């Protein structure tokens, strides 16, 4: 290194030393429900009812489109950091791949006009070399809306069978509703498995 070069601090070196929690990337097109999803996951983890049952979620909080990145810590019980990247930030998503331990990819199952762009984004993410062995959870969100497409329809439109057979990473698919909480306990369980202690 030249005498004037100052190394830019990155999360990767700290993670390698075991000092920082694993990072889960939360990606997907704008308007897919990523912000509400991560808020609900945090709420479920914090507010457990009697006998470990999830507490009532209540009305969903208002959210704004994410511009930039949001960081949220979850305890699974292991602490993980969820980094939500705004859908409009797609071109710079790759700059965050190297520090990713698991990936959540959200698709709006109630918006058929977004299917092709979401599929292209997903294929781009799956083909990224730094993510070649990172576990991926594809969430077909907003199944509480009357116009949502079923998991069977979404798998067909996305050609998920072909994607899964060609992908190098393990891919799981779930239907969720960040609004009413459907499927969120399964998301937390997947995260516990995906970022388990080595």
């Amino acid at each position: 290194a030249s005498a004037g070069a100052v190394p830019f601090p990155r999360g990767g070196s700290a993670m390698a030393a075991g000092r920082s929690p694993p990072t889960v990337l939360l990606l997907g097109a704008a308007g897919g429900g990523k912000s509400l999803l991560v808020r609900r996951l945090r709420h479920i983890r914090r507010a457990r009812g009697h006998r470990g049952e999830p507490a009532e979620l209540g009305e969903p909080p208002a959210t704004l489109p994410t511009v930039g990145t949001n960081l949220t810590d979850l305890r699974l019980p292991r602490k993980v950091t969820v980094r939500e990247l705004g859908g409009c930030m797609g071109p710079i998503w790759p700059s965050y791949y190297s520090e990713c331990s698991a990936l959540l990819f959200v698709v709006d199952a109630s918006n058929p006009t977004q299917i092709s762009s979401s599929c292209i984004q997903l294929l781009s993410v799956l083909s990224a070399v730094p993510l070649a062995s990172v576990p991926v959870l594809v969430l077909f969100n907003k199944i509480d809306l009357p116009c949502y497409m079923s998991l069977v329809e979404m798998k067909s439109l996305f050609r998920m069978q072909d994607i899964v057979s060609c992908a190098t990473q393990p891919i799981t698919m779930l239907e969720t509703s960040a609004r009413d909480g459907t499927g969120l306990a399964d998301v937390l369980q997947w995260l516990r498995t995906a970022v388990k202690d080595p």
Side-chain angles (χ1 to χ4, degrees), residues 13 32 34 38 51 59 67 96 103 122-123 129 148 160 181:
S13 59
K34 298 183 296 296
V38 77
R51 297 181 300 279
E59 279 300 304
V67 179
Y96 295 93
L103 177 75
L122 178 61
L123 289 170
V129 172
Y148 93 96
M160 286 305 296

Side-chain angles (χ1 to χ4, degrees), residues 97-179:
Y97 291 168
S98 63
E99 58 191 46
C100 176
S101 299
L103 177 75
L104 301 176
F105 190 90
V106 179
V107 178
D108 183 348
S110 71
N111 186 352
T113 62
Q114 212 177 65
I115 297 300
S116 59
S117 60
S118 290
C119 188
I120 291 166
Q121 283 181 322
L122 178 61
L123 289 170
S124 174
V125 167
L126 294 176
S127 64
V129 172
L131 300 176
S133 60
V134 169
V136 176
L137 178 59
V138 179
L139 300 172
F140 296 111
N141 193 33
K142 300 192 180 183
I143 64 166
D144 56 290
L145 298 179
C147 53
Y148 93 96
M149 288 172 280
S150 70
L151 187 58
V152 171
E153 291 172 302
M154 295 299 285
K155 282 181 173 181
S156 174
L157 285 169
F158 267 74
R159 299 188 61 151
M160 286 305 296
Q161 191 171 348
D162 294 339
I163 290 174
V164 169
S165 65
C166 295
T168 58
Q169 53 277 89
I171 300 175
T172 305
M173 288 157 276
L174 286 174
E175 288 181 306
T176 57
S177 167
R179 178 172 289 275

